Amino acid sequence: MDSWFQSKWFVRAIALVLAVSLYFVVYTEDDKERKDIDFFGNTSETQTMEDIPVSVRIDADKYVVSGIPESVAVTVEGTNSAVTRVVKQRNFDIYVDLTKLGEGEHTVEMQYERFPEDVAVFIEPKTIDIVIEERSTQKFPITVDFINQHQLPEGFEVGDYQVEPKEVMITSSKSVIEKVSIVKVFVNVAGQDEPIKNREVPIKVYDSQGNELRVRMEPENALVSAEINNPSKVVPVTLETTGKLPKGFKLTSMTSDVEEVEIFGTSHALADIDEVKAKVNLSKIKKSDQIQATLDLPKGITAPEHEQIDVSIELEQTKLLEEVPIQVRHLENDRTIEFKKPEGKKVNVTITGNEADVRNVKVDDLRISIDVEGLVDGTHQVKPIIEGPEQLAIKPELDHFTIKIN
């Protein structure tokens, strides 16, 4: 043993072994700290890209395929620089190659191309189940559905409309074509008060259960034009009263300044309307006057030019004037008169006439008298003489007065 240590070659061999061992120990620890730094100093990295579209390679003139996802997730692994370049540029293609397959059900593998050789590529899902069917093309008529008609301005409605084109060419598998039940476009008319001119809307295809079908269409959009109408009709105005007049008043006439009005609404709402009413509340009327009345319009009906109308009211009023003095004509100076009925040489008088004529009449405006010329002493029944405004009916509370002359 001592002779080995004395040999310079033995010592050199031992030193070499120790040096190599030390190198691997240091390299391993340093490698962990640097997180997989490679020979060129690049960090290893993994990134996943979501929603990567999938292309299909198939004889599109002959076949259609179902079961292809719209997008997949692609994970790339490699050096930092290589992965970053792939993620930023995305100059690659994810596809399924069906060119060698015929009709029927198949399980195929997702494929890729144009990735750098120094990155690893993983696609999720890796395989998919697809169905290849013979292509079929058929024409279908396009229907129009006007949505949110309840949000049209009050009284407006959709009138005549046109859609271009009237038909759409749909291409898909025979089985899908057989499921097509409805082909329509939706036109939103909320708040619309003007005609729609060539509005472009997408065409939708549904089965009998209302499920939207994914098919190829030519064209994919249609142009819709539609009239937005505000129908109207002219109807007579009738006046209707509510409430009661105050005591002592009677309605003699009530006329409006318009005999008919033009009303607006949907055709359905207008169909059953033959007249419109204006209501006048009599309980608030105390004199002959011109008032404004609001038209009583059904819901959804408007009359822009006559929201209110003028109504002329004529009232008859009956008014009691108390203790109107009674004058005596042709009573001789040496004789006296005593009133039995009414007592006190005064009488209550009722006047009736147009309220405008009655309202300002006072006791002083009337003259009630009796003529006793030629009457002898004793008790007599005499008829009063009435004087006052000619347009009024004046009636004392008694048709005849009872008097006594002495």
Side-chain angles (χ1 to χ4, degrees), residues 56-85:
V56 182
R57 299 180 182 181
I58 193 173
D59 185 353
D61 294 330
K62 187 176 180 181
Y63 299 110
V64 293
V65 60
S66 59
I68 306 293
E70 292 184 0
S71 61
V72 294
V74 178
T75 300
V76 290
E77 182 178 312
T79 63
N80 182 289
S81 59
V83 169
T84 299
R85 185 168 60 255

Side-chain angles (χ1 to χ4, degrees), residues 273-332:
I273 301 177
D274 298 320
E275 64 177 9
V276 292
K277 296 179 179 180
K279 293 186 177 180
V280 177
N281 188 351
L282 296 181
S283 64
K284 297 182 178 180
I285 297 175
K286 297 182 179 179
K287 64 178 182 178
S288 297
D289 201 359
Q290 185 178 79
I291 65 170
Q292 285 193 324
T294 302
L295 294 178
D296 186 16
L297 298 173
K299 184 177 181 180
I301 300 297
T302 60
E305 295 184 2
H306 294 94
E307 293 182 358
Q308 290 187 322
I309 62 173
D310 291 330
V311 178
S312 296
I313 303 292
E314 294 290 337
L315 298 182
E316 179 182 272
Q317 183 180 5
T318 298
K319 181 178 180 180
L320 178 64
L321 296 178
E322 297 181 338
E323 297 186 341
V324 178
I326 302 173
Q327 298 179 10
V328 180
R329 299 180 184 182
H330 302 117
L331 180 65
E332 298 173 358

